[in-house]
Amino acid sequence: MSKQKQDGSKRFSCVFCRLSDDCPDKYGEKMIFEEYKLTLHYCCLFMASGIWQRGNEDEGIYGFLVEDIRKEVSRALRLTCKICKKTGATIGCSGKKCRRTYHFPCGLEKQCIFQYTDPFASYCWEHRPVQKAAKRRRGSGPALCTICLEHVDTIPSFSILKSPCCKNTWFHRDCLQTQALSAGMFFFRCTVCNNKDLFQNEMLRMGIHIPERDASWELEENAYQDLLESHQRCEVRRCQCDKGREYNEPGSQWEIKRCQSCGSNATHFACSLINRWCETWECNLCRDIICHSGSLQRLHSMSPFHSETKKNSKLEVPFSPFMHPRLSGSDCSFSRSAADILQELGSQIEVYQVSRFNVGLDDVWDGALEGFKNQDFSPAKKICVSFSSGIDSESEADNWCPTRKFLKLLWNHLKNSSLFEGSPQSKNLTFDPQASSEDLYYEAGRMIAVSLVHGGPSPNCFSKTLFHCLVIGPEKAEPTLEDVADFTVVQKIRKIAEAETLEDLKAAVRDCSAYLSVTKNLSFHSIEDKKQLEMDMIRFYVIRRVHSSFIRFQEGLKTLGVLEKIQLYPDVFRDVLCYKSQELTHETLCSLFKIKSLSEDWKKLEDEVNATEFWNEYLRDTDAGLTNASLESILLFATGADFIPAIGFNPEPSVVFVPQSEEQSSQKTKLPQNKMVQNCLKLPVFNTYRQFRKHMDTLMFGLMK
């Protein structure tokens, strides 16, 4: 078979429909075979009712023998098109008892359905298949075609089709046909859920032509040639390489490193302070996208939280999984807390495997280092702590949970160690050569990660700069003068900032030339350059000077996946890592402790309601300093910790009231009692608040003494 296309092909008319139009989107490819003296449209050939592919694929025209085609043309001369009233109608309706015949173009205009799958049936405008009308919700307006994003009426018709696999998903027929011709059978699928088989079967039934070939973009010559080119240019705002942005020396600090996410941005190792052993790097744009969209990526992977939420409430997610909530203008119907996220990480812990620590109160740091560096230690094992000496009193040792006591003492030592500097509310990393040589920054990061997941206290002392370095990277963080802890350096920077003339600036630079020399920036030309000099000094002392320490600290925080969660949920972890008052209040404890086991007996219920009021009143008086107890001592007695862990309590703290009728007077004096494993506090029932407070004061004072 020899097929030819000529520039003058429009002069040749199709032997079936007698049109010379060359419109592949409507009629299929127009084919001219001069040796057979035949011109026909692809669709007219395949939809003809009286012809079959009796030959092989390479015989005749697509398996249709030439003599069969001529016989079909002769047969059609005896049939009249019911639409245009002309002879040559080769297509008949497949509906039962329907005798309508028509040309292919006429059938298209009359909205007939042609099914491009065996047996290539055709249906007239009265017998064509239809889709079931979807139930319209009250107040629902027009939907959008998910291909062209134009409005469509949510009523199935010839020109409007709905998806068989996704509810409330609609398409224009023309949009679907255009996409099918472009994507081909291998790539044509639902634009929302990516379903292929169910979607294609329904579209074929409704007359969408899906050509059995590869996608058009796969057939273009050298279509992906640009992907073979790699980005080789440093895109950092201030490239430090003297030989230019495109200079690349593998194995040195001037080797170009591409972004692992997009590959379209790159930097020299030295320009972004990347260590040679660091395998990954992301540009600022990709890091921002990952940080802000990570919550959505993991929205349906939070199995413990999601299942618990679904069990306890009828909560629905009101946005599509293909639409970010911030971009869609709607908020997620539930938000994650730090406790939820840390509890998810806590599911990694094997409670039946133990990492043991033997420490004393006088050398918590040494005991912690020894335990963390032990070859048997694993962050995913349960921590078991034994204090060798130094407990203040037997009663206090009984009240404290050893693990929480250890984690609190460890963090108190860490934040006051030489690894950090700054005010108690705003700590930054410092450069300690000895600590760096012993890799203590890595151990510190690992200890903080382990502490957060194992029930330790919230740090609540990171500076905003240190937090931003962890979340968006040190190259994008913007330190301020308040982050500089060295008073001498602060004075030098202020002198530069206060310079009003060029002479004043020169004098300030001479006075601190030794400091500016380490920043490698001593050049300035006008008074306007003082801001850049100031920022260079601040950035050097806060970020560049401690870069190697920060990298190891960051590596330690990756333990148990903590750093990844911090970067994915920065707004959530800001209150955990940065300063926020953790002082206990009576409102905090009232909401923390849940009242349990209320009696169904009306008389006992009334007593327990009064006891609940007495309990809340006692917490208010304790917060005001009017009782012998403290809020911390009450929390410690009930849970084994005088702080609320970032991961929360499991199970949640509760209060159980023991009615007077159920207790002998000799037993009643033993209340309150605690069940530390259950975080439960048992309290007595009295008739008056005065009796309740007196009893609580006496026993709580004795227990905390």
Side-chain angles (χ1 to χ4, degrees):
M1 176 187 70
S2 175
K3 178 179 67 174
Q4 297 180 357
K5 280 192 174 182
Q6 302 178 0
D7 294 338
S9 61
K10 291 186 178 180
R11 295 184 292 105
F12 299 89
S13 299
C14 173
V15 294
F16 291 117
C17 68
R18 302 175 184 175
L19 294 181
S20 61
D21 296 2
D22 188 3
C23 186
D25 291 345
K26 291 180 66 176
Y27 312 134
E29 181 184 10
K30 182 178 180 180
M31 301 172 290
I32 302 173
F33 303 94
E34 291 191 348
E35 66 269 33
Y36 303 135
K37 297 182 179 180
L38 286 177
T39 300
L40 36 81
H41 292 120
Y42 178 89
C43 294
C44 293
L45 172 64
F46 273 83
M47 285 300 156
S49 301
I51 189 172
W52 294 269
Q53 290 171 298
R54 294 196 302 121
N56 297 324
E57 193 72 23
D58 57 348
E59 292 184 79
I61 302 174
Y62 292 113
F64 294 96
L65 302 181
V66 175
E67 56 268 26
D68 290 344
I69 296 176
R70 297 191 188 281
K71 288 180 181 179
E72 177 65 7
V73 172
S74 299
R75 183 185 74 88
L77 292 176
R78 300 191 297 271
L79 301 174
T80 302
C81 175
K82 298 297 181 181
I83 301 172
C84 69
K85 309 303 181 181
K86 296 180 180 180
T87 60
T90 60
I91 303 173
C93 176
S94 299
K96 291 183 179 180
K97 299 182 180 180
C98 182
R99 302 180 62 83
R100 289 191 180 97
T101 57
Y102 37 84
H103 301 104
F104 181 82
C106 296
L108 285 181
E109 293 182 5
K110 194 64 175 178
Q111 298 184 348
C112 297
I113 290 292
F114 302 96
Q115 296 180 342
Y116 295 88
T117 183
D118 195 42
F120 292 90
S122 172
Y123 295 91
C124 68
W125 52 95
E126 288 188 2
H127 300 106
R128 67 190 181 201
V130 295
Q131 292 182 311
K132 293 182 179 180
K135 293 182 179 180
R136 301 191 65 177
R137 290 179 295 181
R138 184 177 299 177
S140 62
L144 295 180
C145 170
T146 59
I147 298 177
C148 69
L149 301 182
E150 295 290 338
H151 288 287
V152 295
D153 291 328
T154 55
I155 301 176
S157 63
F158 177 80
S159 57
I160 304 297
L161 302 178
K162 69 183 183 73
S163 172
C165 44
C166 295
K167 294 181 179 179
N168 302 321
T169 300
W170 300 84
F171 309 93
H172 293 113
R173 173 180 290 273
D174 292 342
C175 295
L176 275 174
Q177 186 59 74
T178 301
Q179 181 165 329
L181 293 174
S182 176
M185 183 170 290
F186 300 106
F187 291 94
F188 182 60
R189 56 195 67 197
C190 177
T191 57
V192 176
C193 70
N194 223 27
N195 181 284
K196 180 179 177 181
D197 295 336
L198 179 62
F199 185 76
Q200 285 194 6
N201 289 337
E202 176 66 7
M203 294 304 112
L204 287 170
R205 186 179 77 90
M206 296 307 297
I208 299 298
H209 179 206
I210 310 174
E212 192 174 345
R213 57 170 172 77
D214 212 341
S216 59
W217 57 83
E218 296 285 347
L219 301 176
E220 294 180 17
E221 186 176 358
N222 297 325
Y224 303 102
Q225 189 67 28
D226 293 343
L227 298 180
L228 301 178
E229 300 179 3
S230 58
H231 195 79
Q232 293 290 335
R233 175 183 170 85
C234 178
E235 300 294 348
V236 177
R237 185 189 306 175
R238 298 182 61 184
C239 180
Q240 304 292 327
C241 184
D242 296 334
K243 297 184 179 181
R245 293 182 177 272
E246 297 182 358
Y247 180 72
N248 182 24
E249 183 181 346
S252 71
Q253 64 177 341
W254 303 119
E255 178 181 350
I256 290 181
K257 182 75 174 177
R258 286 185 295 275
C259 173
Q260 67 167 350
S261 296
C262 68
S264 60
N265 277 308
T267 177
H268 290 116
F269 276 83
C271 295
S272 291
L273 304 175
I274 307 174
N275 284 340
R276 292 294 311 155
W277 48 263
C278 185
E279 297 181 357
T280 60
W281 175 80
E282 290 169 337
C283 63
N284 294 336
L285 179 61
C286 291
R287 189 179 292 113
D288 285 345
I289 294 173
I290 292 172
C291 289
H292 290 115
S293 65
S295 58
L296 184 63
Q297 296 171 4
R298 287 162 173 76
L299 186 61
H300 296 289
S301 65
M302 341 172 210
S303 54
F305 174 81
H306 187 62
S307 61
E308 183 71 15
T309 304
K310 190 173 181 180
K311 185 189 303 179
N312 295 333
S313 62
K314 297 179 179 179
L315 220 48
E316 296 181 356
V317 182
F319 53 87
S320 164
F322 293 86
M323 186 182 300
H324 193 289
R326 295 187 183 182
L327 299 180
S328 66
S330 62
D331 295 328
C332 182
S333 60
F334 64 91
S335 60
R336 306 197 70 187
S337 66
D340 295 327
I341 298 168
L342 292 174
Q343 286 170 14
E344 180 184 337
L345 295 178
S347 63
Q348 306 172 67
I349 299 175
E350 298 289 342
V351 295
Y352 298 109
Q353 299 184 23
V354 176
S355 294
R356 299 190 179 277
F357 288 77
N358 294 307
V359 299
L361 292 180
D362 298 332
D363 58 349
V364 172
W365 175 248
D366 293 334
L369 271 181
E370 182 180 352
F372 273 83
K373 291 184 177 181
N374 191 301
Q375 62 179 0
D376 293 331
F377 170 77
S378 170
K381 293 181 180 179
K382 182 180 179 180
I383 293 178
C384 183
V385 180
S386 298
F387 287 101
S388 57
S389 62
I391 298 295
D392 298 336
S393 67
E394 185 178 352
S395 62
E396 184 177 351
D398 291 339
N399 291 331
W400 269 101
C401 168
T403 300
R404 288 175 177 153
K405 177 80 170 178
F406 165 68
L407 294 176
K408 179 179 180 180
L409 293 174
L410 177 59
W411 173 240
N412 287 339
H413 175 89
L414 262 178
K415 67 181 180 181
N416 295 313
S417 68
S418 60
L419 304 179
F420 293 92
E421 64 181 3
S423 66
Q425 294 83 25
S426 182
K427 293 283 187 179
N428 283 299
L429 291 177
T430 186
F431 179 67
D432 185 335
Q434 181 66 26
S436 183
S437 64
E438 297 176 8
D439 206 14
L440 295 186
Y441 289 98
Y442 170 79
E443 295 297 341
R446 187 161 67 141
M447 289 175 183
I448 293 174
V450 169
S451 176
L452 288 173
V453 179
H454 284 263
S458 301
N460 289 127
C461 69
F462 283 18
S463 70
K464 292 182 179 179
T465 299
L466 178 56
F467 181 74
H468 289 160
C469 286
L470 292 172
V471 174
I472 62 177
E475 67 274 8
K476 196 172 181 181
E478 298 181 356
T480 63
L481 187 60
E482 288 72 19
D483 292 314
V484 181
D486 191 321
F487 179 75
T488 303
V489 177
V490 171
Q491 293 298 102
K492 302 294 184 183
I493 296 175
R494 282 179 176 169
K495 191 171 182 180
I496 293 176
E498 293 170 357
E500 297 182 355
T501 65
L502 186 58
E503 293 301 322
D504 293 340
L505 182 57
K506 290 180 179 179
V509 170
R510 284 194 300 269
D511 188 41
C512 59
S513 58
Y515 297 93
L516 284 171
S517 61
V518 295
T519 69
K520 299 181 180 181
N521 186 13
L522 287 169
S523 60
F524 61 95
H525 304 285
S526 65
I527 190 65
E528 286 76 16
D529 294 333
K530 70 175 184 177
K531 188 64 177 178
Q532 188 60 52
L533 292 172
E534 177 187 352
M535 287 304 302
D536 284 346
M537 284 191 66
I538 294 175
R539 175 169 286 277
F540 175 80
Y541 275 90
V542 178
I543 296 179
R544 295 176 67 92
R545 183 172 61 99
V546 300
H547 181 70
S548 60
S549 304
F550 171 78
I551 293 297
R552 295 304 293 155
F553 180 72
Q554 191 179 41
E555 285 296 314
L557 272 176
K558 291 180 180 179
T559 303
L560 294 173
V562 171
L563 179 62
E564 181 185 6
K565 296 296 184 182
I566 292 173
Q567 293 173 340
L568 291 178
Y569 304 97
D571 294 338
V572 173
F573 279 94
R574 183 177 288 107
D575 290 341
V576 174
L577 300 178
C578 297
Y579 176 72
K580 182 181 180 183
S581 177
Q582 294 296 308
E583 184 178 354
L584 294 178
T585 64
H586 71 276
E587 293 96 340
T588 304
L589 291 195
C590 283
S591 60
L592 181 67
F593 283 87
K594 306 302 180 185
I595 308 301
K596 291 180 61 176
S597 303
L598 290 177
S599 174
E600 295 183 1
D601 183 88
W602 283 104
K603 181 62 176 68
K604 294 180 180 179
L605 179 60
E606 183 179 0
D607 292 340
E608 290 175 347
V609 170
N610 291 333
T612 302
E613 295 179 358
F614 295 163
W615 161 250
N616 293 335
E617 184 67 24
Y618 186 77
L619 291 179
R620 281 192 290 270
D621 288 348
T622 301
D623 195 8
L626 302 177
T627 69
N628 291 336
S630 65
L631 296 178
E632 288 75 14
S633 65
I634 295 174
L635 183 61
L636 173 62
F637 180 68
T639 64
D642 64 355
F643 61 88
I644 300 177
I647 198 173
F649 291 104
N650 186 26
E652 65 178 355
S654 60
V655 173
V656 175
F657 295 108
V658 181
Q660 185 175 358
S661 59
E662 297 181 11
E663 288 289 331
Q664 301 296 330
S665 59
S666 59
Q667 295 176 328
K668 185 175 179 179
T669 57
K670 298 179 182 179
L671 298 177
Q673 295 177 357
N674 65 339
K675 293 183 179 180
M676 194 179 300
V677 176
Q678 301 177 4
N679 295 326
C680 182
L681 186 61
K682 296 179 67 176
L683 298 177
V685 174
F686 284 92
N687 294 327
T688 65
Y689 172 66
R690 186 172 182 179
Q691 292 175 316
F692 178 84
R693 173 175 164 177
K694 181 179 179 180
H695 185 81
M696 289 289 293
D697 275 352
T698 302
L699 292 180
M700 289 299 296
F701 180 74
L703 290 169
M704 295 296 105
K705 193 172 180 181

